Amino acid sequence: ASRSAVLAAIDEKLGAWVEGTHGMLRKFDRNRYVLVLTEEGYEKLVEGKFSVLDSVREVVTEDGVAATILREDPDVVALQETTPEWWASGLMGKLSSDYGIVEGGWERENRHHNPNPILYRKDLFDVVASGRELFHFKLDYSKGFTWAILREKATKRCFTAFSTHFWWRGDKGEAYRKNEAMRVGNVRELLAKCDEVSKRHGELAIVGGGDLNSTLISRNASLGEFGALGLKDAQFTVEG
């Protein structure tokens, strides 16, 4: 489905959700809405626990993922655990009119598709260079990272983007310490590669995301390693 078809499906779900509340729903941008309700109508939606959230997610499997990406409209997306089943689904086709896919050469050199591809807005960026690295080739081919040098079409400025998935096994006691040490190694390997490719193009900014198998609450050493090497968590640096 195209972007317009996916967004139309979301509009339909929202309209059905508001029916019976005597509310007024108006769309003022492609992914922004205003809803005016009476107190009675509001209470009715609260009683339903805002079921529209589940309803929109159910724009069926790959349609649901595509709907989320197209609704939020990010410039760059770091996908994780993109299994062969996902590649065989219609997901990439539903996004292809708006997003390019970086597999880092993996699709040409390995029987597996890249489980950590990068999506980028084709109208905004060109790919200058890209690659794919594994952390633990013999242990788990899904744990690694994809990197790309992206050039903004409007300004010709470049930056390095990455999508990564860190090591994970049942983390308790001594196993946690060993696995966390492996994740710290993942951080160092990832950033060393990004730094290397960035310097080829003039000390570029590095931006990325992924499944780090870490939490802010647990204050993991691996997250601390990002800070020690100069990267910041975007949720604490973006104004507003």
Side-chain angles (χ1 to χ4, degrees), residues 78-80 161-165 190 207-212:
L79 291 180
Q80 302 307 312
F162 69 79
S163 175
T164 188
H165 195 170
L190 164 66
V207 180
D211 186 346
L212 309 183

Side-chain angles (χ1 to χ4, degrees), residues 40-88:
E40 182 181 357
Y42 171 74
E43 293 297 334
K44 183 176 181 178
L45 296 183
V46 170
E47 288 176 8
K49 298 181 180 180
F50 293 94
S51 59
V52 70
L53 299 176
D54 291 327
S55 183
V56 168
R57 293 190 189 103
E58 289 170 1
V59 184
V60 210
T61 54
E62 65 263 19
D63 283 348
V65 176
T68 299
I69 293 174
L70 294 175
R71 182 181 69 245
E72 298 302 327
D73 201 26
D75 292 347
V76 179
V77 183
L79 291 180
Q80 302 307 312
E81 299 185 1
T82 312
T83 63
E85 289 75 19
W86 277 110
W87 283 104

Side-chain angles (χ1 to χ4, degrees), residues 125-190:
F125 307 108
D126 290 316
V127 179
V128 176
S130 67
R132 158 86 173 151
E133 305 286 338
L134 288 174
F135 291 132
H136 318 285
F137 184 81
K138 294 182 179 180
L139 297 177
D140 188 342
Y141 88 93
S142 72
K143 302 302 187 290
F145 61 93
T146 302
W147 60 267
I149 304 294
L150 299 179
R151 180 173 55 218
E152 189 177 21
K153 292 182 177 181
T155 65
K156 305 304 180 184
R157 296 176 61 183
C158 295
F159 65 94
T160 301
F162 69 79
S163 175
T164 188
H165 195 170
F166 285 176
W167 176 254
W168 173 261
R169 283 292 184 272
D171 273 9
K172 292 183 180 180
E174 183 61 26
Y176 171 82
R177 287 185 286 274
K178 290 181 179 179
N179 291 326
E180 183 63 358
M182 292 180 74
R183 285 189 287 273
V184 169
N186 293 166
V187 176
R188 292 172 179 170
E189 185 176 343
L190 164 66

Side-chain angles (χ1 to χ4, degrees), residues 195-227:
D195 190 49
E196 173 196 329
V197 298
S198 294
K199 286 180 177 177
R200 295 178 197 165
H201 298 269
E203 299 288 349
L204 305 181
I206 299 172
V207 180
D211 186 346
L212 309 183
N213 280 317
S214 304
T215 65
L216 290 170
I217 296 175
S218 62
R219 300 180 182 276
N220 302 70
S222 51
L223 287 183
E225 192 68 15
F226 272 113

